[in-house]
Amino acid sequence: MGNLYVSVGDNTNPFASDGFAPIDEIANRSPWDAQKSAANPNDLRGKINRIHPEPDGSYTIPEGNLFPPGTPGTRPEIYVMGNRNPFRISIDQRTGYLYWGEVGPDAGWPKDGRGPAGYDEVNQAREAGFFGWPYFIGNNKPYNDFDFAGKESGERFVAAKPVNDSPNNTGRHDLPPAQGAFIYYAHFPSTQFPVVNKGGGRTAMAGPVYYFDPELKSDRKLPESFDHTLFIYEWSRNWIIAIKLDENNKIEKMEPFAAGLTFKRPMDIEMGPDGCLYVIEFGTAWGNNKDTQLVRIEYTGK
C-alpha cells in the first residue's frame, strides 16, 4: 500500500466545559470549540490523515479517503475525523483496517442537559468515516447542543445527520453519519466489556493484530491460539488485553494477556519479526523514571 497515516489531536482547551463537549461558540473563544477542528472537514486537527508519499517529497491522495479531492469545504487528506486524542494507532497488515485508542474527556457521570460521562474508546475503521467527537462518544452517546453564553441546553445531536453550524467551522456543515466505538469504557465498571475494569484512570491505546505464521522459525513466537488477535493496552490501568477477532473481524472474545506480569504504564507495543510482543514501559513515576524498560514477551509453551 505504501500509505502514511498521521494521527493529530484535537487541539481544543478542555477545561471550561465541565468534562463534556467543548463546543463554546462565544466570539473569540475558538480555542474552546472542537467544532473548529475535530468536527471541521476543512481542518486536519482531530483527525487521522492518510497520504501517499512520493519520491520527490510531495504526496498524493489515496483512493478511499473521506472526501474526494476537490470537494468544497473539505481536506482530501482526511481519512478519519471526529477524534479527540487518537493516541496510538495501528494498521492490520492483512485487512488494512485502522485501529486506534481514543482518550476521552473527564466527566465522571452523565448530566441532564449536557450529555454522557467521559469514555475512552478503541476504534476500528474498515473505511473512512466520522467517529463522532465532539457530538458523540462511546456507542454514539449524544451530547446536548449547549449554549455557553446563556448557559442553556439545546437538543441532543443526531448521529445519523450531524451538522456543524459553529461560526468557527471553516468547512462544510453537513457531516457524514457518526460511527460508534468498537470498545468503550468509563471510569466506572463496564458491563459490556468487563475485562477492562482492572484499574482506575483511562488512557486507551491500540496495538498490532497478530497472525500466526507456521513457517516462522522461532521457538518463542506466540502460539496459534493467538492467530488473528488484536492487542489493546492501557497506560493508566497497566494491562494488555488480547481480543480474538472472528472471521468478520468482530470481537470473538476478550481476555487479559500475560496477566501474571505487572506492567509499568505500557506506552507502546509492537509485534517483532520473531513473533514475540515487545512492550515499552513508561515507568511508575510521572518523570525521572528509574524503571522505564523495553520488555519482550515470549511464549514458553507452558
Side-chain angles (χ1 to χ4, degrees), residues 197-242:
N197 289 336
K198 175 191 171 185
R202 296 181 283 112
T203 315
M205 290 178 273
V209 177
Y210 174 70
Y211 290 96
F212 178 77
D213 181 2
E215 303 300 321
L216 178 63
K217 297 185 183 303
S218 170
D219 58 1
R220 292 291 183 261
K221 65 187 178 184
L222 296 185
E224 190 172 5
S225 59
F226 285 99
D227 182 54
H228 200 195
T229 291
L230 167 69
F231 290 95
I232 66 172
Y233 53 113
E234 250 283 355
W235 188 86
S236 296
R237 301 189 179 194
N238 294 313
W239 49 242
I240 298 175
I241 289 175

Side-chain angles (χ1 to χ4, degrees), residues 131-191:
F131 281 79
W133 184 256
Y135 303 128
F136 314 96
I137 201 166
N139 58 338
N140 277 344
K141 299 177 189 296
Y143 288 101
N144 289 79
D145 190 0
F146 186 72
D147 177 5
F148 279 72
K151 304 298 182 183
E152 296 180 353
S153 294
E155 298 294 323
R156 292 179 177 178
F157 294 106
V158 179
K161 295 187 67 174
V163 176
N164 182 353
D165 58 6
S166 168
N168 300 309
N169 176 24
T170 62
R172 63 188 293 178
H173 288 192
D174 294 330
L175 306 181
Q179 299 187 34
F182 192 56
I183 297 165
Y184 55 95
Y185 54 94
H187 79 91
F188 45 81
S190 171
T191 55

Side-chain angles (χ1 to χ4, degrees), residues 5-250:
Y5 292 76
V6 182
S7 63
V8 183
D10 178 42
N11 188 33
T12 297
N13 190 316
F15 299 117
S17 52
D18 301 320
F20 298 99
I23 50 174
D24 189 341
E25 299 178 3
I26 297 174
N28 300 317
R29 294 276 293 178
S30 66
W32 288 262
D33 183 10
Q35 298 172 108
K36 58 111 176 43
S37 47
N40 181 353
N42 199 37
D43 192 288
L44 298 182
R45 292 170 293 179
K47 312 290 193 300
I48 300 177
N49 303 298
R50 185 176 70 162
I51 60 175
H52 186 83
E54 299 295 341
D56 63 359
S58 65
Y59 65 85
T60 54
I61 303 300
E63 290 187 10
N65 275 10
L66 189 55
F67 304 108
T71 304
T74 69
R75 290 291 297 266
E77 297 92 341
I78 297 170
Y79 184 70
V80 162
M81 66 178 290
N83 303 115
R84 183 180 184 270
N85 188 359
F87 191 49
R88 283 287 185 267
I89 69 176
S90 71
I91 303 294
D92 184 326
Q93 297 300 313
R94 292 198 182 178
T95 65
Y97 293 171
L98 169 68
Y99 293 93
W100 72 97
E102 189 80 68
V103 181
D106 293 335
W109 302 97
K111 182 177 181 180
D112 288 342
R114 297 300 299 274
Y119 286 80
D120 271 29
E121 304 172 354
V122 174
N123 285 300
Q124 178 196 75
R126 302 186 178 208
E127 59 184 9
F130 172 51
F131 281 79
W133 184 256
Y135 303 128
F136 314 96
I137 201 166
N139 58 338
N140 277 344
K141 299 177 189 296
Y143 288 101
N144 289 79
D145 190 0
F146 186 72
D147 177 5
F148 279 72
K151 304 298 182 183
E152 296 180 353
S153 294
E155 298 294 323
R156 292 179 177 178
F157 294 106
V158 179
K161 295 187 67 174
V163 176
N164 182 353
D165 58 6
S166 168
N168 300 309
N169 176 24
T170 62
R172 63 188 293 178
H173 288 192
D174 294 330
L175 306 181
Q179 299 187 34
F182 192 56
I183 297 165
Y184 55 95
Y185 54 94
H187 79 91
F188 45 81
S190 171
T191 55
Q192 187 164 1
F193 308 103
V195 70
V196 307
N197 289 336
K198 175 191 171 185
R202 296 181 283 112
T203 315
M205 290 178 273
V209 177
Y210 174 70
Y211 290 96
F212 178 77
D213 181 2
E215 303 300 321
L216 178 63
K217 297 185 183 303
S218 170
D219 58 1
R220 292 291 183 261
K221 65 187 178 184
L222 296 185
E224 190 172 5
S225 59
F226 285 99
D227 182 54
H228 200 195
T229 291
L230 167 69
F231 290 95
I232 66 172
Y233 53 113
E234 250 283 355
W235 188 86
S236 296
R237 301 189 179 194
N238 294 313
W239 49 242
I240 298 175
I241 289 175
I243 302 176
K244 181 74 171 180
L245 301 172
D246 65 17
E247 60 183 7
N248 297 312
N249 290 283
K250 295 183 179 180

